[in-house]
Amino acid sequence: MNTCVLKSTYLLRGLFLALLVCANFYVAADTKVEAESKAETEAESDNQEEQLHTIVITLERRPTDKATQAASVGHLTEIEMDRVAAQHPAELLNRLPSVWVQQGSGQEHLTALRSPVLTGGAGSGSFLYLQDGVPLRSAGFANVNGLFGAQTGLARQIEVVRGPGDVTYGSNAIHGIFNVLSDDPLATSGGSGSLTLAEFERSDFSWKGGKSDSVSGLLAGVQIFHDGGYRDDSGVDQIKGQFAYGYSAAEYDMRLRLSLHHLEQETAGFVLGDNAYEDDALRRTNPNPEAFRDLDHALISAEFDIHELSGWQATITPYVRWTEMEFLMHFLPSKALEENDHWSLGFLSQFRRELNEQFELLVGFDWDYTEGNLTETQARPDIFSFTQGLHYDYQVTAKEMAPFARLRWQPSQDWQLQAGMRINHTRYDYDNKTVADSVGRFLRAADRDDSFTTVTSKLAASYQATNKDFWFASLARGARPPQTTDLYRLQINQTIGELDAETLDSFEMGWRHTNSSYQFEISAYSMRKRNFFFRDADGFNVTNGKTSHSGFELAANIDLNQQLNWQTSLSYGRHKYQFNRDVSRDSEIISSGDDIDTAPRWLANSRLLWDINSSWQSELELIYVDDYYTDAANSNDYSGHTVANLRLSWQPKPQVTLFARVRNIADKRFATRADFAFGNERYFPGEERNVAIGIKYWY
């Protein structure tokens, strides 16, 4: 560690200790406050409590009471996100049941949601990532790092739908949906700014503010993040920005939104060797100092809520998106450079009408047009069947259209039934810009077009047993066409045009209970997936895999007394192969009934919140990840880990909060990702104990 980093470390730890001393002194001293200040604090606390217990969501592309939804939905409020002060989306999302986002190097990540951690085309296309209800990327051009462009640092709420999405959502909502919601420009006045300083030369500055009246409103925000890098030759510079304008008229409300993202990342690769993440001489090294990732992304949308249209309520959202990325594929022997980009034009629409007191009809139509390009070039000499030179150079034009309909029937005050169907038609026009032949392991198809039509559906029932108890059950199918990289970045063992759309059938049921001092939700699910596409240990693509997924989840929020609150998320999942496959590597032979690799059965996140007094608050968080296999044959594994984090905040004035965060307070040696490939155990090491301090100001 260099002298600058050491000085920064000692300074941060000294400031944190000083803050702890102030806390103890403050608690021991006379803590009386003036009556008016106390009343204001209590009113704010009551308002926060109301936000926690009465949450509206956008599962149906409109605000809806969460308690009445026949689906498993997790959410993170702005209050909770302020408390976490996350440096990576994984710190937030892993607080929810059945969610496990593995942090890679920098801002990279892989996702599991009622699933194993998925990579490649499966990792890209199995989850639908939204910003204010609009997909961040086109369905066939998804990114395994799906949260890159999301405005998580400026969000007012994040919602996660577990399991196949409602028929209002289409391609890629196989295992679930992540929806990042920004502030409403028609309901925002004032703003906030925050600054966080942390070890490893990290700094995070964000600001957002808005002003609205009864007719219009403006909202803007920016986040600037710098990471000097925990490991050698690694680091991140990232800027995110958003702008929104709202206009309200008697006939409609309009919200125009712009979201921007720029990322420059120096990437660290896996450390290799048995339990290398425990070796202090290895864990901070970087075997791939040449690796990098650069990204630019923009999304513009205009949401029109039409109050009355011949008896219908309508929402129409046209959008334009653009993204461009280049990165070094350091995780493959080729270490090839990939450059990709795409731009899209499309709209989302839905029309809702109450037919009578019992029936409600919802219909809609979504459309998307995308043009995308990809090149892959290997600069290093031939290695195995990875050949030097150009691997792929192609363009794909994609057209997607999807009508859908859903009927909701409420036969009595306590019962509600719904049935819906969606038809997605996708057409890809592929233009090969190089010679159509095979080079080494790479197969380049001639120009062609491919079409896929998928039908997804959902049947659901819900029952309000008492004013505190709510039961639900649903039967749903999710589907997605192949990613364009699945179809056209081919290898020599594949047959051109052999891929089918992936489908997942799901059954789930759940129970919610809510009262003034505690709330909990228990849900169970069983799912089967067909035409699962992935890359095997020989580096070749499997096109017809079958898997099964089953488990249960618990989310609880309990007030132990007036000062202590306990929140926990617990999930158990069994994710298994349902087919056999032999490969040349014994450690990767797939046998039906074996666990899928990188699929821990147990996940838990538990938090104890302590309101020390009217100004001080602390949170102790425990994160548990069960052991899991790191190869398909279940012959290598990672032992799992338990990590603890501590957060402390002080609010000397209603508009000012000072905070400190200690991550990994026990200084545990663990891995954020463990894998076995090319005959080696390899890991992304988790960070040792580190401290962050910051300030947030509201106006």
Side-chain angles (χ1 to χ4, degrees), residues 30-95:
D30 183 8
T31 58
K32 293 182 181 179
V33 294
E34 295 180 0
E36 290 183 0
S37 176
K38 185 176 181 180
E40 182 177 4
T41 301
E42 290 177 348
E44 183 175 346
S45 178
D46 290 342
N47 181 56
Q48 293 182 359
E49 192 74 11
E50 181 179 352
Q51 291 185 58
L52 287 172
H53 295 326
T54 308
I55 304 297
V56 295
I57 62 171
T58 53
L59 178 66
E60 302 180 2
R61 297 186 184 171
R62 65 164 184 167
T64 312
D65 187 351
K66 175 183 175 179
T68 63
Q69 290 298 305
S72 297
V73 185
H75 71 279
L76 297 161
T77 66
E78 189 170 9
I79 296 170
E80 186 170 6
M81 289 186 283
D82 282 343
R83 185 164 62 243
V84 176
Q87 297 173 356
H88 190 280
E91 295 181 69
L92 291 169
L93 294 166
N94 291 347
R95 297 162 75 93

Side-chain angles (χ1 to χ4, degrees), residues 1-2 105 228-235 266-269 271 280-291:
M1 187 184 299
N2 61 41
S105 176
Y230 168 69
R231 297 168 61 194
D232 296 341
D233 300 303
S234 67
E266 303 303 314
T267 304
V271 292
D280 287 339
L282 287 177
R283 54 188 288 106
R284 288 205 178 194
T285 63
N286 177 11
N288 302 105
E290 74 285 0

Side-chain angles (χ1 to χ4, degrees), residues 167 362 405-409 417-421 457-460:
V167 295
L362 180 140
R406 188 192 63 206
L407 183 66
R408 177 175 287 142
W409 175 35
L417 307 173
Q418 62 171 291
M421 178 180 292
S457 57
K458 183 174 182 178
L459 297 171

Side-chain angles (χ1 to χ4, degrees), residues 418-433:
Q418 62 171 291
M421 178 180 292
R422 180 185 182 99
I423 302 173
N424 255 82
H425 178 74
T426 303
R427 177 186 172 92
Y428 296 133
D429 292 317
Y430 162 78
D431 178 14
N432 180 21
K433 296 183 177 181

Side-chain angles (χ1 to χ4, degrees), residues 245-485:
Y245 169 73
Y247 178 78
S248 182
E251 300 83 8
Y252 67 92
D253 293 334
M254 185 274 291
R255 295 168 179 84
L256 175 66
R257 292 186 172 96
L258 168 65
S259 176
L260 300 169
H261 178 214
H262 174 74
L263 172 71
E264 296 179 10
Q265 175 177 296
E266 303 303 314
T267 304
F270 290 100
V271 292
L272 306 178
D274 295 350
N275 298 323
Y277 63 92
E278 295 179 341
D279 189 335
D280 287 339
L282 287 177
R283 54 188 288 106
R284 288 205 178 194
T285 63
N286 177 11
N288 302 105
E290 74 285 0
F292 73 95
R293 186 184 297 268
D294 294 336
L295 169 70
D296 289 289
H297 180 270
L299 174 64
I300 304 173
S301 65
E303 178 185 294
F304 294 88
D305 286 328
I306 303 172
H307 308 314
E308 176 67 23
L309 185 65
S310 301
W312 296 82
Q313 293 178 327
T315 302
I316 302 172
T317 308
Y319 60 83
V320 178
R321 74 167 77 85
W322 167 81
T323 187
E324 184 176 272
M325 180 170 64
E326 61 177 330
F327 68 99
L328 197 71
M329 303 169 72
H330 62 90
F331 43 84
L332 294 176
S334 65
K335 297 184 180 179
L337 176 69
E338 178 182 321
E339 300 171 276
N340 66 71
D341 64 79
H342 77 265
W343 70 269
S344 306
L345 175 69
F347 66 83
L348 310 170
S349 68
Q350 68 177 33
F351 304 84
R352 187 185 308 268
R353 182 171 188 165
E354 292 185 1
L355 304 179
N356 54 40
E357 293 182 354
Q358 292 183 320
F359 288 94
E360 179 193 70
L361 177 64
L362 180 140
V363 297
F365 184 80
D366 298 342
W367 177 83
D368 184 280
Y369 175 88
T370 300
E371 291 184 2
N373 300 274
L374 183 143
T375 61
E376 179 182 316
T377 310
Q378 179 176 324
R380 67 185 311 195
D382 295 357
I383 177 168
F384 311 126
S385 57
F386 296 89
T387 55
Q388 186 177 32
L390 183 66
H391 296 167
Y392 306 101
D393 184 3
Y394 62 77
Q395 181 182 71
V396 179
T397 300
K399 302 171 185 176
E400 182 180 32
M401 58 185 67
F404 60 90
R406 188 192 63 206
L407 183 66
R408 177 175 287 142
W409 175 35
Q410 189 162 354
S412 69
Q413 185 176 357
D414 300 329
W415 281 94
Q416 189 175 101
L417 307 173
Q418 62 171 291
M421 178 180 292
R422 180 185 182 99
I423 302 173
N424 255 82
H425 178 74
T426 303
R427 177 186 172 92
Y428 296 133
D429 292 317
Y430 162 78
D431 178 14
N432 180 21
K433 296 183 177 181
T434 187
V435 179
D437 61 1
S438 60
V439 178
R441 70 192 292 117
F442 309 105
L443 174 61
R444 303 186 293 218
D447 296 354
R448 57 179 289 113
D449 60 77
D450 296 277
S451 296
F452 302 89
T453 300
T454 61
V455 178
T456 58
S457 57
K458 183 174 182 178
L459 297 171
S462 59
Y463 174 61
Q464 185 84 37
T466 69
N467 61 352
K468 298 179 180 179
D469 296 284
F470 182 88
W471 296 82
F472 68 90
S474 71
L475 182 64
R477 164 167 283 197
R480 68 172 181 92
Q483 294 289 296
T484 55
T485 50

Side-chain angles (χ1 to χ4, degrees), residues 55-179:
I55 304 297
V56 295
I57 62 171
T58 53
L59 178 66
E60 302 180 2
R61 297 186 184 171
R62 65 164 184 167
T64 312
D65 187 351
K66 175 183 175 179
T68 63
Q69 290 298 305
S72 297
V73 185
H75 71 279
L76 297 161
T77 66
E78 189 170 9
I79 296 170
E80 186 170 6
M81 289 186 283
D82 282 343
R83 185 164 62 243
V84 176
Q87 297 173 356
H88 190 280
E91 295 181 69
L92 291 169
L93 294 166
N94 291 347
R95 297 162 75 93
L96 300 175
S98 283
V99 179
W100 186 34
V101 177
Q102 284 190 332
Q103 182 174 352
S105 176
Q107 292 296 295
E108 293 179 356
H109 56 275
L110 296 171
T111 302
L113 176 57
R114 286 190 177 176
S115 71
V117 170
L118 297 173
T119 61
S124 301
S126 296
F127 316 103
L128 181 58
Y129 299 94
L130 308 173
Q131 176 70 47
D132 294 306
V134 179
L136 282 161
R137 295 175 70 98
S138 180
F141 301 81
N143 183 358
V144 73
N145 302 281
L147 292 163
F148 265 169
Q151 299 286 346
T152 52
L154 299 171
R156 67 171 171 85
Q157 184 160 304
I158 300 176
E159 301 166 357
V160 178
V161 180
R162 305 190 295 275
D166 192 82
V167 295
T168 50
Y169 297 98
S171 298
N172 296 17
I174 292 280
H175 282 277
I177 301 169
F178 296 83
N179 193 5

